[in-house]
Amino acid sequence: MSVISADQFLQALEKPPVVIIDARGGADAAARYRAAHVRGALRVDLETELSAKGKDAADGGRHPLPKPQQFSEVLSKLGITPGSHVIVYDDKSGANAAARFWWMLKSAGQHDVKVVGATIETMQTTGIPFTSDESVRPDPVSYSFDRWNFPTATMQEVERASSDSTQMVIDVRENYRYRGEGEPIDLVAGHIPGAINVPYIENLSENGDFRTAEALASKYKRVTNNLQPQQVIVHCGSGVTACHTLLAMAFAGIEGAKLYVGSWSEWSRNGKEIAIGD
């Protein structure tokens, strides 16, 4: 099970050992973590630990993957071993860097990784303890892997797939960004021609918590028209929230879709064709 509820998270906390990771993103993420985080949670930073930013987003996008050795060092500092039980959360029901951390750790070969598919408010109401106290850092360990195991797609592969009826490209950004009505982050608005829009927010219920595995299975079988997961490529703005949809699909038992890490941030900076509207 890749996604757990707040109740299941509380039960897991009562059965240590478990490594808890706070993966909230944003410019003030560190301050929000210091103000209140799950007791014992260790923080990871999207910008410096879950991506390896280059000088030009045209080459790999705004959040390119770090090298395996770099991520190995992050995991070693967190005290994570291949046998660790890891639970990660953010303040977007896993829609931000928690899903990215899940994708990276599972792609590194980790078996037991779960994302809390609930809002901070739901977690607090459930009784999960939050604190502003500094978490005790574990003794470092030696974690090592040499390649990402989950499938990814290059810009060239996405371009071929976008015009191939036997493949599907899913854009998980908000609809107004897909339609080209506005672009709050990247330089150009619009979408990859041929890509369909399935906003990641649809993975969540009205209260902001994750939908059930059954509901998500029904949704994505309908969306993909029963294509094999290997025929599906998922992207967003910079390869972060796309992981939320890959997480939702995995939760639904649909595993093997590809992540386009560069996503719109790369595509839109390389003179590629851009579509507007539906």
Side-chain angles (χ1 to χ4, degrees):
M1 182 182 297
S2 53
V3 178
I4 59 173
S5 66
D7 285 328
Q8 291 169 320
F9 186 20
L10 182 59
Q11 293 170 13
L13 292 177
E14 295 169 350
K15 300 176 182 178
V18 58
V19 180
I20 310 164
I21 300 296
D22 183 308
R24 282 178 280 189
D28 62 343
R32 300 200 316 274
Y33 168 82
R34 287 193 297 269
H37 53 266
V38 174
R39 189 169 61 205
L42 303 171
R43 179 176 173 269
V44 295
D45 186 81
L46 170 63
E47 307 299 328
T48 62
E49 296 179 309
L50 304 186
S51 60
K53 291 192 170 185
K55 295 181 180 179
D56 188 357
D59 182 15
R62 286 184 281 106
H63 290 105
L65 286 173
K67 299 293 185 183
Q69 181 181 355
Q70 294 172 293
F71 191 51
S72 293
E73 293 172 358
V74 172
L75 298 178
S76 298
K77 291 177 182 177
L78 293 169
I80 294 175
T81 69
S84 293
H85 177 197
V86 181
I87 298 178
V88 56
Y89 72 91
D90 58 29
D91 54 2
K92 304 292 184 185
S93 297
N96 198 256
R100 170 72 169 235
F101 183 81
W102 166 84
W103 187 97
M104 291 173 66
L105 193 47
K106 290 290 289 185
S107 188
Q110 190 77 11
H111 173 69
D112 199 354
V113 191
K114 298 179 178 66
V115 177
V116 183
T119 64
I120 295 288
E121 293 74 20
T122 297
M123 286 191 271
Q124 292 173 327
T125 301
T126 302
I128 292 168
F130 277 73
T131 182
S132 59
D133 294 341
E134 186 175 351
S135 298
V136 177
R137 301 291 298 188
D139 293 331
V141 297
S142 180
Y143 196 110
S144 180
F145 75 103
D146 58 10
R147 65 184 179 89
W148 300 108
N149 294 310
F150 279 5
T152 60
T154 65
M155 182 169 56
Q156 292 72 27
E157 289 172 326
V158 172
E159 189 168 30
R160 291 193 294 269
S162 66
S163 59
D164 184 344
S165 62
T166 67
Q167 298 187 68
M168 177 176 289
V169 179
I170 298 177
D171 182 332
V172 311
R173 295 174 302 155
E174 299 91 334
N175 185 251
Y176 82 94
R177 294 178 69 186
Y178 172 86
R179 289 175 54 83
E181 296 169 356
E183 177 49 59
I185 305 174
D186 290 307
L187 306 178
V188 183
H191 64 267
I192 297 171
I196 66 168
N197 186 216
V198 187
Y200 75 88
I201 199 70
E202 295 179 3
N203 298 325
L204 307 176
S205 60
E206 292 181 359
N207 69 355
D209 295 343
F210 242 82
R211 295 190 184 278
T212 65
E214 293 76 17
L216 291 167
S218 176
K219 174 186 177 64
Y220 283 104
K221 286 178 182 177
R222 183 177 67 255
V223 165
T224 61
N225 196 26
N226 290 315
L227 286 174
Q228 293 299 309
Q230 295 78 10
Q231 297 169 279
V232 178
I233 299 171
V234 181
H235 84 87
C236 55
S238 66
V240 178
T241 52
C243 294
H244 192 264
T245 288
L246 292 170
L247 171 64
M249 293 174 71
F251 185 42
I254 305 170
E255 299 183 87
K258 299 176 182 177
L259 170 64
Y260 174 28
V261 181
S263 287
W264 182 249
S265 57
E266 180 182 57
W267 181 276
S268 62
R269 287 171 169 83
N270 276 278
K272 296 295 185 182
E273 184 180 355
I274 292 174
I276 301 293
D278 289 326

